[in-house]
Amino acid sequence: MKTTAIVLAAGSGSRMKSNVKKQYMEIEGKPLLLYALKAFEKSFVDEIVLVLPKDDIDSVMTEIVAPEGLKKIKAVVAGGSTRYHSVRLGLLAASSDTDYVFIHDGARPFIDDDILGRALEAVKEYGACVVGMPVKDTIKIADESGFAKTTPDRDKTWLIQTPQVFVYSEILKLYEELARKEDELISKGVNITDDAMVMETFGSRKVKLVIGSYDNIKITTPEDIQLAETILSSKIAALQH
């Protein structure tokens, strides 16, 4: 069995409102991106495909990858104009004999072995799974004017995280179908926001929901950096006791 992780770090991080792209902002003295890379480096995953902005590839390899001795990075590719374009490029760069692929946002630094293990068992059984957590708050669906329209059952509502894990040959085929039908989807107003939606739109499998962690946050705004530092400090303290 061969597993590949695609780590997505090609975004601009515009909501961070910083001159430094969020994937390179530091948490406790280390670039944000490094945490996810090191988690996969020490895990059972066999290889990593890193997706970066084209102009950043050389500097990331020189300043982050090489000094940390990351050996599992098989390929580094330039990202596309959208997340799903970047995922497709990452999939194409993976080894063709990959069995399962873990697609992960590089802006989620707190992925760990427990989450990866649960996801692996689920994808082996169901062929497609995504990590997430049941919501704690009531969710409202808004209408076009910003008024509450409906209230979904909280017990059936999840916050979706990454990694999202699939049989490699299947998800690659579905992403190629997405590429062929992209214009059609855009004309219909369909917005593909995650990998599970690609399976839901083009595939035949149901996507299993797998418990992740409330700590598995995505760094998006300046407040998230502060939260990440708090989470990291608590994890370090726990290891010391």
Side-chain angles (χ1 to χ4, degrees), residues 12 14 29 31 46 65 68 99 112 117 144 153 195 201 218 224:
S12 61
S14 58
D46 296 297
V65 173
E68 293 291 337
D99 295 295
D112 59 31
E144 294 79 3
D153 183 351
D195 313 295
T201 303
K218 184 177 181 180
D224 296 331

Side-chain angles (χ1 to χ4, degrees), residues 12 122 143 175 181 225:
S12 61
D143 64 15
Y175 262 95
K181 296 183 177 178
I225 291 287

Side-chain angles (χ1 to χ4, degrees), residues 11-166:
S12 61
S14 58
R15 283 179 284 182
M16 192 60 72
K17 298 179 181 177
S18 169
N19 292 329
V20 178
K21 292 175 183 175
K22 70 177 180 183
Q23 56 268 48
Y24 314 131
M25 296 181 76
E26 292 191 350
I27 300 176
E28 297 294 327
K30 296 285 188 179
L32 169 61
L33 173 61
L34 182 59
Y35 289 91
L37 291 176
K38 289 186 76 170
F40 284 111
E41 178 78 18
K42 69 181 182 65
S43 75
F44 57 79
V45 167
D46 296 297
E47 67 177 28
I48 301 168
V49 174
L50 178 56
V51 186
L52 293 169
K54 181 179 179 180
D55 293 341
D56 296 355
I57 291 176
D58 289 343
S59 61
V60 169
M61 294 302 291
T62 301
E63 298 170 18
I64 297 178
V65 173
E68 293 291 337
L70 301 176
K71 304 298 184 185
K72 289 186 178 180
I73 296 180
K74 170 194 178 288
V76 181
V77 298
S81 57
T82 67
R83 182 188 186 280
Y84 62 80
H85 287 140
S86 292
V87 173
R88 176 175 173 269
L89 293 167
L91 289 169
L92 290 170
S95 293
S96 59
D97 60 345
T98 293
D99 295 295
Y100 300 113
V101 61
F102 291 68
I103 303 171
H104 186 65
D105 292 326
R108 291 188 187 271
F110 300 121
I111 185 68
D112 59 31
D113 287 342
D114 290 339
I115 297 173
L116 293 175
R118 290 193 292 270
L120 179 63
E121 292 307 308
V123 76
K124 285 160 63 174
E125 182 172 356
Y126 301 104
C129 69
V130 299
V131 167
M133 292 299 290
V135 300
K136 297 179 179 181
D137 301 317
T138 296
I139 302 295
K140 296 288 185 183
I141 305 299
D143 64 15
E144 294 79 3
S145 302
F147 291 92
K149 185 176 181 181
T150 59
T151 306
D153 183 351
R154 186 169 61 186
D155 293 338
K156 297 179 181 177
T157 308
W158 284 52
L159 293 169
I160 298 306
Q161 304 172 347
T162 65
Q164 304 195 0
V165 193
F166 306 89

